Amino acid sequence: MDSEIFEKLPPTKLFFRCAVPAMIAMASGALYQIADGLFVGRFIGEDALAAVNLIMPVITMVFAFSNMIATGASVRISVLLGEKKPEGASCIFSFTIKAIFLLSCVIGIIGFFGAESFVRLLAPGATEQAVGYGITYTRMYAVFSPLLPIYFATDNFLRVCGKEKLSMWLGISTQAFNIILDVILIAILGQGIRAAAFTSCLAMALGSVITLWLFRGKRMDLYYTRKNIPASVFFRILANGSSEFFSNISMSVMSVVYNLFLLKYGQTTAVAAFSVIMYVDSIIGTLVFGMCDSLQPAISYCYGAGLMDKVRAILKRIILGAVILSTASMLFMLFAGRFVAPIFVKPEDTELLAVSIAGMEVFSFSYLTGWVDMCFSSYFTALERPVRSLLTSFFGTLVFPVAFLFILTPVWQLNGVWLTSVAAGTASVILTIIFALTMKAKAVMR
């Protein structure tokens, strides 16, 4: 089995074998998001950039439901593969694909007919043109919804099977295809916001079709089967994936809350500036996430095989990598952000550029602490400790940020919004350390 590399390779070699392809794939995905933001901001305008930022939390929430199932299934599958039970793992894999497809169809129908209500609810104070852009963007995603979440789920399963490089090249290929379409439809033909949504959806749908085809037959450790799984196993899957689900939901809710405060203290310009910061953050922050996420199958596999010394060795390498990446990220955004921000802004939008640069300088310090809850939430999930993982994510991505928004913005207004990430990250570190230190050695033994 290809997944046996998790057991056979030494920790350092295994770390680089898993982390490097995932980080390259994440970086290319972030570059695609940056390119997408560039096309939207430079060729369509500020209202379009704000609209994408306003509606993206809703789209992320949709992906969060499927990601909960996929992540929980990946953990259980990896444990079963570590226990040398490929048939049971394949039953969970097949069930997961069917469940995500059906869920996506239902959500797509609701999203298409409820698009206008959703957008107007999320965008009080936004311009009418931004609202119209948001409705168009939402409906395009709803049309493609049956295939979109499957793309991310099957990518997880490729990595569970030890196919990290295949996952990487597939991600790079679909993102390159997306950028080519952006150039043709947005920059050359001027098709606007509809084309921006269409190109993203088409690329992900194509990736879903390819990955579904790759699992045909028994060419990999996972394969299609018609056997169902017990209800107890399904609930265990949901429990394992609950922290990632609530993390995604919390981040989406926080995006909505941030937008409300941004509209209050800086109107549409502040929302667009936040979009610029998030585009830059996408290539920085996702590197740490990609590294943590890529080692999750290895940790779960070794946990299932009873190799706890190797589990702890992998965790040490994840922490070291996160510290190095986060420090470099802080320095990049702090000193290079002023040179990156103009890429997303029209030359005449001087106010937007100034607000974006000021926000980046403050936001950059959040990288000093932002990696901690991300790493340990993934670690707790990999060891099938959903409660600790859930609380780590929930407080780090929702409770602390909301609290500090209400504490800081009355004093510093728009600057208080940028400071929220720094303050919330610091509080989250304290809580995460408590969870990690109170998880005794016997608690992670099966």
Side-chain angles (χ1 to χ4, degrees):
M1 297 193 301
D2 292 323
S3 58
E4 288 180 349
I5 62 168
F6 301 140
E7 181 176 354
K8 294 178 179 178
L9 291 179
T12 300
K13 190 172 182 179
L14 178 62
F15 173 84
F16 285 106
R17 167 72 182 263
C18 295
V20 172
M23 290 167 65
I24 292 174
M26 283 287 180
S28 66
L31 286 172
Y32 144 69
Q33 291 181 355
I34 288 176
D36 196 53
L38 186 152
F39 286 111
V40 172
R42 294 295 290 257
F43 293 97
I44 307 177
E46 179 180 316
D47 283 328
L49 193 61
V52 173
N53 189 55
L54 287 167
I55 201 59
M56 193 53 67
V58 177
I59 296 173
T60 304
M61 287 180 188
V62 174
F63 290 153
F65 285 101
S66 62
N67 192 50
M68 174 178 63
I69 301 173
T71 301
S74 296
V75 171
R76 187 92 282 268
I77 287 170
S78 296
V79 171
L80 289 172
L81 291 176
E83 295 174 346
K84 314 302 181 188
K85 298 177 181 178
E87 185 175 351
S90 295
C91 288
I92 294 175
F93 159 74
S94 300
F95 174 84
T96 301
I97 296 296
K98 290 182 287 187
I100 290 175
F101 177 78
L102 292 174
L103 178 65
S104 301
C105 289
V106 172
I107 293 177
I109 294 172
I110 295 173
F112 185 86
F113 291 103
E116 183 171 356
S117 299
F118 285 140
V119 174
R120 293 194 179 279
L121 178 65
L122 296 171
T127 64
E128 194 63 27
Q129 187 174 34
V131 171
Y133 283 148
I135 295 170
T136 301
Y137 202 84
T138 302
R139 284 178 174 163
M140 184 61 70
Y141 266 82
V143 170
F144 279 90
S145 63
L147 283 176
L148 301 186
I150 289 178
Y151 174 69
F152 300 102
T154 50
D155 179 69
N156 280 341
F157 297 140
L158 282 176
R159 289 185 285 108
V160 165
C161 292
K163 301 293 186 180
E164 298 86 3
K165 290 184 179 179
L166 180 58
S167 168
M168 176 187 73
W169 286 115
L170 181 63
I172 293 173
S173 300
T174 54
Q175 290 145 12
F177 177 63
N178 195 341
I179 292 174
I180 292 171
L181 290 179
D182 278 341
V183 172
I184 296 172
L185 296 180
I186 301 176
I188 298 176
L189 299 180
Q191 294 300 302
I193 196 69
R194 189 185 304 275
F198 173 76
T199 57
S200 298
C201 292
L202 183 62
M204 284 187 283
L206 181 61
S208 296
V209 173
I210 293 173
T211 50
L212 288 172
W213 180 82
L214 288 173
F215 284 101
R216 292 180 60 197
K218 295 186 177 181
R219 292 172 290 185
M220 290 191 282
D221 296 344
L222 300 176
Y223 48 85
Y224 297 116
T225 176
R226 294 185 179 182
K227 294 182 180 179
N228 291 318
I229 62 174
S232 59
V233 175
F234 178 64
F235 288 125
R236 188 171 187 176
I237 288 172
L238 295 180
N240 287 338
S242 61
S243 63
E244 273 65 26
F245 169 73
F246 282 103
S247 176
N248 288 328
I249 288 293
S250 296
M251 287 188 289
S252 298
V253 171
M254 274 311 304
S255 295
V256 174
V257 175
Y258 269 120
N259 287 334
L260 293 175
F261 278 83
L262 290 165
L263 287 169
K264 178 180 179 180
Y265 292 109
Q267 300 181 333
T268 305
T269 298
V271 176
F274 187 66
S275 298
V276 173
I277 296 172
M278 290 299 99
Y279 280 125
V280 178
D281 175 69
S282 67
I283 194 171
I284 296 175
T286 53
L287 290 176
V288 177
F289 173 79
M291 181 189 65
C292 298
D293 190 54
S294 69
L295 271 302
Q296 195 175 82
I299 292 175
S300 295
Y301 183 100
C302 293
Y303 172 59
L307 305 173
M308 293 309 300
D309 286 340
K310 193 166 187 177
V311 167
R312 286 184 280 270
I314 295 171
L315 176 62
K316 290 178 181 178
R317 285 153 179 79
I318 292 174
I319 292 174
L320 178 60
V323 170
I324 295 172
L325 282 173
S326 298
T327 303
S329 299
M330 181 199 70
L331 295 174
F332 175 83
M333 183 171 280
L334 182 61
F335 296 108
R338 64 180 61 252
F339 303 107
V340 177
I343 297 175
F344 304 93
V345 180
K346 289 182 176 181
E348 60 268 25
D349 291 335
T350 55
E351 182 184 0
L352 173 58
L353 180 60
V355 174
S356 299
I357 293 173
M360 282 183 183
E361 291 176 350
V362 178
F363 184 86
S364 64
F365 290 98
S366 66
Y367 291 117
L368 289 176
T369 56
W371 62 271
V372 177
D373 60 347
M374 191 183 302
C375 288
F376 278 91
S377 176
S378 179
Y379 177 68
F380 295 147
T381 296
L383 296 182
E384 296 189 300
R385 295 294 179 269
V387 175
R388 289 175 187 267
S389 182
L390 172 60
L391 291 175
T392 300
S393 295
F394 186 64
F395 276 86
T397 58
L398 183 63
V399 176
F400 290 140
V402 168
F404 281 106
L405 270 176
F406 281 99
I407 293 171
L408 299 176
T409 53
V411 180
W412 287 291
Q413 297 186 345
L414 186 57
N415 284 331
V417 178
W418 311 135
L419 283 168
T420 292
S421 296
V422 181
T426 304
S428 182
V429 167
I430 298 172
L431 181 65
T432 303
I433 291 175
I434 292 172
F435 285 153
L437 293 178
T438 55
M439 190 170 70
K440 298 179 181 180
K442 64 180 181 180
V444 296
M445 297 302 291
R446 302 189 73 242

